[in-house]
């Protein structure tokens, strides 16, 4: 069997093995730090492989592992000159989880293992510090009770809180040895009452219990949720790290802290962190005491601070990335407990990448690869309008920038439910814990009353790119009555507030927003990305406003202009309705004639913006009844306006009703039945071109797109219709017109018969929304009822309407691409579905060598970056 346990300082998985996969992130980084010669307490890693082994052996720790672990403990004993379970000089260890990718706070860690009623006396005598020994012991009972024995932590916390109240003190540090003695007894009573067993006095039993609990925590609800949100495979498993304890809670020459080597909120190159004197690790993050700014350590523990600064530099040089670090100081000696790439806001990610290129730590290629494209659009979305009136009711720490408005919600589950109803929420909590992860994901923003800049809420929100205000102590939350008070203000659940994570302000109501400025660093990264990408990026838009935004974001044309969206305008809908309701061809033509000038003007506006770039115009696609009135009152209004009877209209609506409108009389089928509709649309497009020509505007090359084609005959007929219209207009204005005619590929038959269809098409645009719908036979509008079950049961890895199903829908795209290009080498191929802006799908489109993707305006930068990454990764 392969090696299953690795010592930190003797690190070395066999070459060719990815050591993060085996050791997990925490174990790998501890080993690396030890190798760099940094002060790391001795320890070892039980590999992720054992996690699987553990589940296969009925959730028991295999014998072999027990033996090897004992051997490794004796190595730590030798190095530290202490003994596990010894009555005079006991070794204490921590048992820490660590998976391949960091899942902050998702899984469990237990500190101070090895203490019992007897060894605690040994520890007291050895250190001459009874308070410290007892404080450590009560922490062990608390953590072990919670993590291994499953007792909710509030049972312990309440005991401490109540005790402090009766004693009249505020801080834990004000409690003395005797106080902890009493509390230890109370804690042990809780354990006895809840588990019907005494707190385990056998230190080995403690160790096996803790290791097992870490493995079990891999499958806790919160860890599963986190994996689901972040697409982390369930089979990876977690490693377990066992490490000698070092103590930050032995007195005032001790401390514990966390730090980032750069500011994770802005990206600025400055030390950013927090620490507490006389405390143990988890105190800083848990928010039980308010930590101090790390910069102040320059005064309180100057030597250690200088040492830390040097280590930060060393680690950045080694990892070529911003690091998130944990450390502890024991009697003026620094110990490193963790390093990893730090979570950061999208804004910080960009600044750090650009700065590191300037510092020559990384190349611009690496910078492009490093930024998660999915986070970019949060940078482009609007920020609070500086001129808007604001009613500020509280301030907190600016933990994660961005502005968000929504209904106040006090529970994570409620936030999740409201999201399902498409409602925006702000999750308001005293402090967040890993159990809240689903709600943090669902909410638009997060507000906490307690916790610092490195609290759980702050770190997770930054990672998600979500606005967060943390530690707003003015906010007094009353969970029971579902309200919070701040000064004279009372805010109830459901009331709307706005938070600004850049300034830490909390405001009443919805504050209006304005367009955000694109930073110079952002543009730099985009230009690098453009250098490395092959796929062109276009946009889906039909209004001049959208087209303008998209072009500013770098769109290289329009990949989908949906003409029906132009019909919904108030002034036009009546003519659209007249056209649909008309019984004779003449009536219909009359209505269409009224629509023509509107549609022509729309095109002139869009062509003006897109100056010379390609514009794909899709002819009318949706079923006609979508445009018809739904209520009796609406019908009455229209009847009056069109001079028809109520019943006539009602009858026509019944006539137009379809059982399966998505598969009904729509797309090119409309063009076949009512050629005059498509004729009018073509006339509008080409007349618009003629007008642009007259106005000396650089001409776009329109690409006329016929929707829902499944046979060559359909496109043959409709291509003729387009050609005829062009000839007419050319003659009328005696001008030359360049244009293309193509089709959407959104039906499986069209993909299969791509070769025939390509005879009449200059381009294909894959309508992946419909193609996914028709390939799976799943209606997009009805899939909400069961998609989650499909994801939960692992039938779908991801929602196929979000990320392309490579093996099915992707296969059809591949087939259509190959067959189409056999017929016509110059065939232009693109994507215009929702998938065109999805980074995972873009990877696939690069692989099958499409020419372009098209996506909504705010996704354009996302697609530019994703396309560059797709190309660079393919080349690797
Ligand atoms: P997480 O991944 O939740 O941060 P960790 O395993 O890093 O969990 O540990 C939780 C806290 O305990 C951290 O603050 C860490 O620094 C501290 N800690 C872990 N191991 C030790 C140790 N051997 N000595 C002192 N503190 C430790
Ligand atoms: Mg940690
Ligand atoms: Mg479609």
């Amino acid at each position: 069997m392969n090696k299953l346990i690795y010592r930190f300082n003797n690190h070395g998985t066999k070459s060719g093995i990815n050591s993060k996969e085996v050791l997990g992130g925490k174990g790998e980084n501890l080993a690396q730090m030890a190798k760099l010669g940094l002060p790391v307490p001795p320890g070892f890693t039980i590999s992720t492989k054992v996690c699987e082994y553990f589940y296969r052996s009925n959730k028991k720790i295999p014998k072999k592992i027990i033996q090897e672990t004992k051997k490794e403990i004796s190595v730590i004993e030798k190095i530290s000159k202490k003994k596990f379970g010894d009555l005079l000089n006991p070794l204490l260890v921590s048992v820490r989880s660590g998976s391949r990718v960091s899942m902050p706070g998702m899984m469990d860690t237990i500190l101070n293992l090895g203490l019992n009623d007897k060894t605690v006396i040994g520890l007291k005598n050895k250190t001459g510090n009874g308070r410290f020994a007892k404080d450590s012991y009560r922490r062990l009972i608390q953590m072990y009770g919670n993590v291994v024995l499953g007792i909710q932590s509030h049972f312990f916390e309440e005991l401490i809180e109540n005790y402090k109240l009766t004693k009249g003190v505020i801080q834990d540090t004000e409690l003395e040895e005797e106080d902890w003695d009493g509390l230890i007894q109370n804690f042990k009573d809780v354990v006895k009452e809840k588990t019907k067993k005494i707190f385990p006095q056998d230190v080995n039993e403690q160790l096996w219990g803790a290791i097992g609990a870490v493995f079990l925590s891999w499958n806790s609800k919160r860890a599963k949720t986190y994996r689901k949100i972040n697409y982390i495979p369930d089979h990876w498993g977690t490693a377990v790290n066992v490490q000698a304890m070092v103590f930050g809670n032995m007195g005032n020459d001790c401390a514990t802290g966390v730090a980032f080597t750069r500011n994770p909120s802005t990206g600025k190159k400055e030390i950013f962190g927090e620490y507490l004197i006389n405390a143990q690790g988890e105190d800083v993050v848990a928010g039980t005491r308010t930590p101090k700014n790390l910069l102040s350590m320059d005064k309180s523990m100057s030597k250690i601070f200088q040492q830390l600064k040097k280590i930060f530099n060393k680690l950045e040089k080694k990892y070529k990335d911003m690091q998130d670090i944990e450390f502890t100081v024991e009697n003026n000696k620094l110990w490193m407990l963790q390093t990893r790439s730090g979570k950061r806001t999208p804004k910080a990610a960009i600044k750090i990448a650009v700065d590191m290129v300037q510092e020559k730590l990384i190349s611009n290629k690496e910078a492009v690869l490093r930024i998660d494209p999915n986070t970019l659009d949060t940078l482009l979305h609007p920020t609070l309008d500086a001129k808007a009136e604001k009613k500020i009711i509280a301030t907190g720490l600016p933990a994660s920038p961005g502005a968000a408005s929504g209904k106040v919600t006090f529970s994570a589950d409620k936030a999740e439910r409201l999201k399902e109803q498409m409602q925006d929420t702000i999750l308001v909590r005293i402090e967040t814990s890993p159990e809240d992860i689903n709600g943090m994901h669902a909410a638009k923003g997060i507000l906490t009353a307690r916790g610092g800049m490195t609290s759980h809420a702050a770190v997770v929100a930054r990672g998600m790119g979500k606005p967060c205000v943390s530690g707003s102590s003015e906010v007094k939350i009353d969970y029971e009555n579902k309200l919070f008070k701040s000064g004279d203000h009372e805010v109830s659940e459901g009331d709307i507030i706005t938070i600004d994570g850049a300034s830490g302000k909390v405001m009443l109501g919805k504050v209006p927003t304005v367009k955000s400025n694109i930073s110079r660093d952002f543009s730099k990264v985009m230009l690098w990305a453009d250098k490395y990408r092959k796929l062109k990026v276009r946009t889906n838009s039909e209004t001049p406003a959208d087209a303008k935004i998209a072009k500013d974001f770098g769109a290289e044309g329009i990949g989908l202009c949906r003409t029906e969206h132009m019909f919904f305008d108030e002034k036009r809908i009546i003519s659209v309705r007249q056209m649909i309701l008309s019984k004779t061809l003449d009536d219909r033509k009359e209505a269409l004639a009224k629509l023509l000038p509107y549609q022509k003007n729309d095109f002139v506006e869009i062509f003006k913006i897109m100056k010379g770039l390609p514009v794909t115009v899709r002819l009318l696609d949706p079923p006609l009844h979508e445009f018809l009135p739904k209520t009796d009152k609406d019908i009455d209004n229209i009847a009056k306006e069109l001079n028809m009877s109520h019943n006539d209209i009602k009858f026509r609506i019944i006539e137009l009703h379809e059982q399966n409108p998505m598969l009904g009389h729509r797309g090119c089928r409309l063009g076949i039945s009512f050629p005059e509709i498509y004729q009018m649309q073509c006339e509008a497009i080409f007349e618009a071109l003629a007008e642009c020509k007259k106005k000396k505007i650089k001409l776009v090359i329109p690409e006329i797109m016929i929707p829902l084609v499944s046979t060559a005959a359909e496109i043959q007929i409709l291509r003729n219709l387009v050609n005829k219209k062009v000839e007419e207009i050319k003659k009328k204005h005696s001008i030359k017109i360049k244009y293309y005619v193509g089709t959407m590929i959104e039906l499986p038959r069209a993909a299969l018969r791509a070769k025939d269809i390509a005879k009449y098409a200059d381009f294909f645009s894959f309508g992946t929304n419909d193609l996914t719908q028709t390939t799976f036979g799943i209606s997009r509008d009805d899939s909400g009822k069961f998609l989650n079950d499909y994801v939960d049961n692992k039938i779908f890895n991801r929602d196929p309407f979000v990320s392309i199903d490579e093996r099915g829908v992707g296969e059809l795209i591949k087939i259509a691409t190959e067959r189409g290009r056999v017929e016509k080498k110059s065939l232009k191929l693109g994507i215009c579905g929702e998938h065109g802006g999805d980074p995972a799908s873009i990877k696939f489109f690069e692989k099958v060598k499409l020419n372009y993707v098209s996506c909504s305006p705010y996704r354009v930068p996302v697609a530019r970056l994703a396309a560059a990454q797709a190309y660079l990764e393919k080349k690797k």
Side-chain angles (χ1 to χ4, degrees):
M1 188 184 272
N2 284 330
K3 209 172 149 178
L4 293 173
I5 295 192
Y6 298 82
R7 218 171 286 164
F8 294 164
N9 58 343
N10 185 13
H11 156 266
T13 48
K14 274 189 223 119
S15 61
I17 298 177
N18 179 333
S19 46
K20 256 200 185 132
E21 274 173 29
V22 179
L23 301 174
K26 200 176 285 162
E28 151 78 6
N29 290 331
L30 283 166
Q32 292 287 2
M33 283 199 293
K35 221 170 146 185
L36 280 178
L38 302 183
V40 177
F44 57 92
T45 305
I46 303 174
S47 103
T48 55
K49 297 274 177 317
V50 180
C51 190
E52 201 191 320
Y53 196 12
F54 171 83
Y55 280 99
R56 263 193 284 124
S57 342
N58 260 327
K59 303 185 187 167
K60 290 214 176 64
I61 304 170
K63 268 225 175 68
K64 190 176 147 53
I65 299 299
I66 294 200
Q67 279 162 8
E68 276 193 47
T69 301
K70 281 188 174 158
K71 218 170 72 201
E72 290 302 321
I73 290 276
S74 69
V75 174
I76 302 182
E77 287 175 336
K78 248 183 234 135
I79 299 173
S80 63
K81 302 195 178 70
K82 296 176 184 170
K83 250 183 143 48
F84 195 51
D86 195 80
L87 298 185
L88 297 177
N89 187 16
L91 166 71
L92 308 194
V93 295
S94 64
V95 167
R96 319 171 64 187
S97 61
S99 62
R100 261 191 235 187
V101 292
S102 105
M103 298 166 54
M106 280 305 120
M107 287 177 317
D108 294 320
T109 283
I110 299 156
L111 306 181
N112 305 328
L113 282 158
L115 282 176
N116 56 28
D117 293 350
K118 292 190 178 133
T119 55
V120 74
I121 305 298
L123 186 65
K124 171 181 168 172
N125 293 338
K126 177 83 195 167
T127 58
N129 188 338
R131 184 200 177 273
F132 149 73
K134 304 296 168 66
D135 177 45
S136 303
Y137 190 26
R138 68 89 190 172
R139 286 173 191 266
L140 170 65
I141 303 176
Q142 202 172 342
M143 266 195 239
Y144 196 92
N146 177 239
V147 175
V148 184
L149 307 174
I151 303 167
Q152 289 178 353
S153 32
H154 71 87
F155 287 113
F156 301 112
E157 273 153 27
E158 276 160 15
L159 283 172
I160 302 183
E161 286 311 309
N162 288 338
Y163 186 83
K164 283 197 291 194
L165 271 182
T166 35
K167 200 180 171 192
V169 299
I170 293 168
Q171 303 284 359
D172 288 5
T173 41
E174 294 170 80
L175 296 181
E176 328 256 343
E177 177 180 359
E178 295 69 39
D179 301 320
W180 290 123
D181 275 336
L183 283 164
I184 286 170
Q185 195 48 52
N186 298 343
F187 282 13
K188 288 201 291 195
D189 292 344
V190 170
V191 171
K192 182 109 185 270
E193 187 199 320
K194 299 283 165 197
T195 65
K196 309 284 172 248
K197 278 189 209 140
I198 61 158
F199 177 77
Q201 295 292 311
D202 176 349
V203 294
N204 282 311
E205 184 188 338
Q206 290 177 2
L207 183 60
W208 311 133
I211 294 174
V214 168
F215 285 139
L216 288 174
S217 71
W218 176 253
N219 275 333
S220 65
K221 184 180 163 222
R222 64 183 196 220
K224 281 185 176 164
T225 309
Y226 187 89
R227 289 205 290 277
K228 201 168 137 189
I229 294 170
N230 293 287
Y231 304 113
I232 297 169
D234 290 332
H235 71 262
W236 280 5
T238 179
V240 181
N241 302 289
V242 180
Q243 184 175 30
M245 281 300 300
V246 289
F247 301 102
N249 56 336
M250 267 165 91
N252 287 335
D253 57 352
C254 303
T256 184
V258 295
F260 291 81
T261 53
R262 301 187 188 217
N263 187 317
S265 196
T266 63
K268 203 165 157 210
K269 194 171 178 186
E270 63 190 6
I271 289 180
F272 180 98
E274 290 172 331
Y275 76 113
L276 277 171
I277 301 251
N278 198 9
Q280 210 168 43
E282 74 280 5
D283 295 352
V284 178
V285 211
T288 32
R289 271 164 65 192
T290 305
K292 289 194 213 167
N293 188 327
L294 188 58
L295 292 175
S296 74
M297 200 182 203
D298 199 10
K299 289 206 190 80
S300 62
M301 293 183 164
S302 152
K303 254 208 184 124
I304 301 276
F305 186 71
Q306 296 309 324
Q307 192 187 352
L308 265 177
K309 276 211 313 211
K310 274 197 199 116
I311 291 179
F312 289 175
N313 271 332
K314 210 166 184 177
L315 288 173
E316 274 209 350
K317 283 231 168 71
K318 154 115 190 104
Y319 289 103
K320 302 187 189 313
D321 198 6
M322 180 258 267
Q323 295 295 295
D324 166 0
I325 285 161
E326 289 173 7
F327 64 89
T328 281
V329 180
E330 177 182 310
N331 301 135
N332 276 324
K333 173 162 172 47
L334 174 67
W335 291 98
M336 299 300 295
L337 291 169
Q338 190 172 315
T339 187
R340 63 179 173 215
S341 278
K343 299 235 181 252
R344 64 205 76 181
T345 62
K347 188 174 154 206
I350 287 185
K351 175 152 175 59
I352 291 171
V354 171
D355 284 354
M356 287 195 163
V357 170
Q358 252 142 30
E359 292 161 31
K360 298 209 161 53
L361 272 176
I362 60 174
S363 67
N364 62 15
K365 229 184 251 177
E366 278 171 299
V368 164
L369 282 169
R370 213 170 251 191
I371 290 157
D372 177 0
N374 276 314
T375 61
L376 289 187
D377 63 345
T378 62
L379 285 178
L380 308 170
H381 280 294
T383 53
L384 286 188
D385 182 355
K387 283 185 242 121
E389 203 180 302
K390 302 181 189 79
K391 186 142 189 88
I392 297 166
I393 54 168
T395 341
L397 299 170
S400 178
S405 304
K407 289 186 172 165
V408 168
T409 312
F410 294 104
S411 92
D413 290 341
K414 184 88 187 271
E416 204 179 11
R417 277 201 303 281
L418 287 173
K419 181 172 183 203
E420 278 161 19
Q421 300 164 19
M422 315 289 278
Q423 301 204 39
D424 294 345
T425 56
I426 303 291
L427 181 64
V428 182
R429 303 280 303 162
I430 294 176
E431 62 201 9
T432 63
S433 76
E435 275 92 30
D436 297 322
I437 199 83
N438 58 333
M440 298 174 77
H441 195 65
K444 287 277 161 193
I446 297 142
L447 167 64
T448 66
R450 275 217 301 248
M453 295 291 282
T454 58
S455 65
H456 179 264
V459 171
V460 173
R462 285 197 293 266
M464 289 180 173
K466 259 189 199 161
C468 172
V469 173
S470 70
S472 178
S473 52
E474 299 154 78
V475 171
K476 308 273 182 245
I477 301 176
D478 177 353
Y479 285 136
E480 211 158 288
N481 295 306
K482 301 211 166 94
L483 55 86
F484 75 77
K485 286 190 184 151
S486 181
D488 299 337
H489 299 282
E490 190 174 297
V491 179
S492 304
E493 187 163 69
D495 291 354
I496 292 183
I497 59 168
T498 298
I499 60 167
D500 179 7
S503 66
K505 298 218 160 51
V506 182
M507 291 145 279
L508 271 190
K510 192 178 159 82
V511 177
T513 52
V514 290
K515 216 175 105 181
S516 66
N517 286 328
I518 296 176
S519 75
R520 216 186 294 156
D521 289 338
F522 184 93
S523 312
K524 236 184 222 165
V525 172
M526 281 299 133
L527 287 179
W528 291 334
D530 289 346
K531 218 166 72 178
Y532 294 118
R533 79 181 149 90
K534 285 281 169 300
L535 277 169
K536 297 253 176 222
V537 177
R538 299 195 193 176
T539 185
N540 300 348
S541 59
E542 36 271 328
T543 65
D546 275 358
K548 176 90 179 45
I549 293 174
K551 196 160 173 239
D552 289 346
F553 285 154
E556 297 162 295
I558 290 181
L560 177 63
C561 171
R562 304 175 180 91
T563 49
E564 61 270 15
H565 284 208
M566 302 167 162
F567 283 172
F568 281 109
D569 186 278
E570 223 178 306
K571 281 187 241 132
R572 312 166 185 195
I573 188 88
I574 188 71
S575 308
V576 177
R577 286 169 169 167
Q578 186 190 354
M579 164 188 90
I580 296 166
L581 294 167
S582 55
K583 290 189 192 124
T584 66
L585 180 62
D586 283 340
D587 285 352
R588 195 171 314 114
K589 280 192 167 161
E590 189 194 308
L592 283 167
K594 284 191 215 152
L595 285 170
L596 177 66
Y598 288 120
Q599 192 125 71
K600 180 184 141 186
N601 267 335
D602 290 337
F603 289 129
V604 171
E605 288 307 309
I606 288 179
F607 292 172
K608 262 195 221 160
I609 293 167
M610 296 318 286
K611 276 196 208 89
L613 295 172
V615 174
T616 308
V617 181
R618 181 177 72 187
L619 301 183
L620 192 68
D621 181 38
L624 293 181
H625 67 77
E626 272 190 18
F627 299 101
L628 288 177
K630 308 263 172 332
T631 63
D632 271 343
K633 205 171 146 228
D634 276 348
I635 294 179
D636 273 341
N637 284 342
I638 289 165
K640 232 181 268 152
E641 236 174 301
L642 292 180
N643 227 345
M644 291 173 73
S645 80
H646 184 101
N647 279 348
D648 261 2
I649 295 182
K650 225 169 176 171
F651 187 71
R652 187 77 178 121
I653 292 175
I654 294 168
E655 252 183 346
L656 283 167
H657 174 79
E658 293 180 306
Q659 294 297 341
N660 266 317
M662 288 312 276
L663 303 175
H665 200 180
R666 57 170 285 216
C668 68
R669 297 160 198 171
L670 291 171
I672 300 284
S673 304
F674 311 113
E676 54 282 5
I677 299 180
Y678 279 12
Q679 278 159 356
M680 180 281 282
Q681 294 196 291
C682 289
E683 188 165 337
I685 297 166
F686 294 112
E687 284 288 356
L689 267 189
E691 186 168 325
C692 287
K693 177 126 195 172
K694 238 185 271 161
K695 293 186 174 153
K696 298 213 162 60
I697 294 162
K698 192 165 177 205
L699 287 194
V700 308
I701 304 172
E703 303 180 351
I704 314 298
M705 180 151 81
I706 318 285
L708 216 73
V709 162
S710 60
T711 67
E714 287 163 325
I715 178 148
Q716 186 186 10
I717 293 171
L718 294 170
R719 184 181 184 108
N720 272 334
L721 177 151
V722 181
N723 288 348
K724 257 202 209 130
K725 202 34 118 193
V726 175
E727 288 311 316
E728 255 177 64
I729 307 233
K730 268 168 52 180
K731 230 188 251 149
K732 183 170 156 200
H733 298 283
S734 31
I735 50 168
K736 273 196 219 144
I737 293 177
K738 194 166 174 196
Y739 68 103
Y740 296 111
V741 180
T743 176
M744 293 191 76
I745 302 285
E746 49 191 338
L747 296 170
R749 193 185 191 281
L752 296 170
R753 304 309 305 172
K755 190 164 177 296
D756 314 341
I757 292 173
K759 265 193 206 115
Y760 307 100
D762 306 315
F763 65 87
F764 289 170
S765 174
F766 293 96
T768 47
N769 300 341
D770 269 329
L771 189 59
T772 300
Q773 177 160 259
T774 53
T775 302
F776 278 104
I778 289 178
S779 144
R780 225 190 321 164
D781 303 317
D782 302 306
S783 63
K785 296 197 185 98
F786 57 88
L787 255 182
N788 263 336
D789 301 333
Y790 267 54
V791 173
D792 287 345
N793 281 294
K794 306 202 167 68
I795 299 167
F796 288 159
N797 234 339
R798 299 188 188 195
D799 177 348
F801 290 106
V802 174
S803 271
I804 200 88
D805 157 48
E806 290 187 23
R807 312 187 83 178
V809 179
E811 184 74 14
L812 283 170
I813 293 175
K814 235 160 85 187
I815 289 173
T817 302
E818 282 159 13
R819 295 185 183 171
R821 278 181 176 150
V822 166
E823 175 64 36
K824 195 174 276 170
K825 241 180 137 177
S826 63
L827 192 69
K828 217 191 287 184
L829 298 163
I831 292 278
C832 64
E834 231 38 62
H835 301 89
D838 169 57
S841 310
I842 289 172
K843 249 179 223 161
F844 175 76
F845 302 144
E846 167 62 46
K847 230 177 1 204
V848 296
K849 299 207 180 93
L850 300 189
N851 301 98
Y852 69 88
V853 296
S854 187
C855 55
S856 59
Y858 281 99
R859 298 297 290 181
V860 166
V862 177
R864 282 164 72 193
L865 183 59
Q869 293 182 350
Y871 180 72
L872 288 172
E873 275 163 24
K874 194 173 81 172
K875 264 188 29 188
K876 260 202 226 157

